[in-house]
Amino acid sequence: MSTPPAAPDRSATAPARPTARLRRLAAVGLLAPVLALAACSGESSVTADPTAPGTATTATSGAATTQGTTPSTSSATPSTPATTATSSAAPTKAPAYSTRNIRAVIKDPDLGHTITALRLSRNLPFPKNQPVGAEAFEIVGVKVDFRAGSRYSAALEPSMLSLIATSPKQNVPVTAEFGKSYKAEPLTTAKRDDRSRGWVFFKVDKGTTASLRLAFNRPAYEVSTTDRKITAKTFSVVLSK
């Protein structure tokens, strides 16, 4: 795990959080039981996968051309032979979306959290009512498994995640704009000794290269029973190279 470089002007970093107070369990016997999501063992690929059949479309952009029509000629100078203007540029197709299974793990040794990225989706289709966004951004989806540690009362929240791209350089926070559009099960907060699994989405610049990292931006904490201070730190893992 490594600490990513500082984000440029365009980057949206996770907002600073005030130092939180944590409660530490007094004895092992007081551990709360692990809560598992019912959908984990039998989730449907149609409702949980944003790239399920029926949700993906391939968008095309560029100048429209009319087939079977004779191009116009210029008659401004009769003494000069007329020239025929033809367009050889074909419409540019948007990159096709793709989804693949991955296993990229982040572990926080101080809090005992484990964050696992399970699936990565690229070039997800933009909602039809957002043409401007479709021209400027790409939607990336990541299916994540949260397992919060049992030692402290520190929860894992989706807002603590961000997506780091190397070209162009970006540090992009989670967006809540697209979950309903893809009928994807959203990632929810996992409290102490709890588990959550679902999708998070990021809006990166159009033309972002394949190299992506998932970052967990841990805020600072102070343990109430010992006054121990746990400093803020960013952990990251490679999703694709």
Side-chain angles (χ1 to χ4, degrees):
M1 287 181 271
S2 62
T3 302
D9 294 340
R10 185 257 174 221
S11 304
T13 57
R17 295 167 175 257
T19 302
R21 302 274 297 180
L22 301 180
R23 297 184 303 279
R24 181 177 177 181
L25 292 182
V28 176
L30 296 180
L31 293 179
V34 176
L35 302 179
L37 295 178
C40 291
S41 60
E43 59 189 359
S44 168
S45 60
V46 175
T47 58
D49 192 339
T51 59
T55 64
T57 58
T58 301
T60 58
S61 61
T65 58
T66 304
Q67 298 181 353
T69 302
T70 303
S72 60
T73 59
S74 173
S75 59
T77 54
S79 61
T80 304
T83 58
T84 302
T86 58
S87 175
S88 59
T92 303
K93 291 185 177 181
Y97 77 85
S98 62
T99 296
R100 63 188 181 90
N101 293 327
I102 58 175
R103 185 170 180 80
V105 182
I106 296 173
K107 291 189 176 182
D108 182 341
D110 298 309
L111 300 179
H113 295 331
T114 300
I115 301 165
T116 307
L118 302 171
R119 289 176 71 82
L120 174 65
S121 294
R122 295 291 306 264
N123 296 298
L124 286 161
F126 249 86
K128 293 182 179 179
N129 62 346
Q130 298 189 34
V132 176
E135 292 179 3
F137 300 105
E138 173 198 347
I139 304 173
V140 177
V142 184
K143 189 173 186 179
V144 176
D145 181 84
F146 270 171
R147 294 195 180 191
S150 59
R151 189 177 185 185
Y152 300 106
S153 59
L156 271 172
E157 302 176 17
S159 60
M160 295 175 178
L161 300 178
S162 62
L163 191 68
I164 301 172
T166 57
S167 179
K169 290 184 178 180
Q170 303 158 78
N171 191 347
V172 185
V174 170
T175 176
E177 293 181 60
F178 308 110
K180 293 182 179 179
S181 299
Y182 306 126
K183 299 180 181 179
E185 180 182 359
L187 180 68
T188 58
T189 298
K191 296 182 180 181
R192 178 167 58 191
D193 204 19
D194 198 358
R195 180 180 178 182
S196 174
R197 178 178 291 190
W199 287 88
V200 288
F201 297 94
F202 306 91
K203 194 163 60 174
V204 301
D205 289 345
K206 203 80 169 182
T208 296
T209 58
S211 180
L212 295 175
R213 300 177 70 89
L214 182 69
F216 165 53
N217 305 288
R218 183 188 74 191
Y221 294 100
E222 182 177 321
V223 184
S224 60
T225 55
T226 63
D227 289 332
R228 177 193 173 191
K229 296 183 184 299
I230 299 176
T231 60
K233 187 175 181 179
T234 295
F235 303 85
S236 67
V237 66
V238 174
L239 298 181
S240 61
K241 297 181 179 180

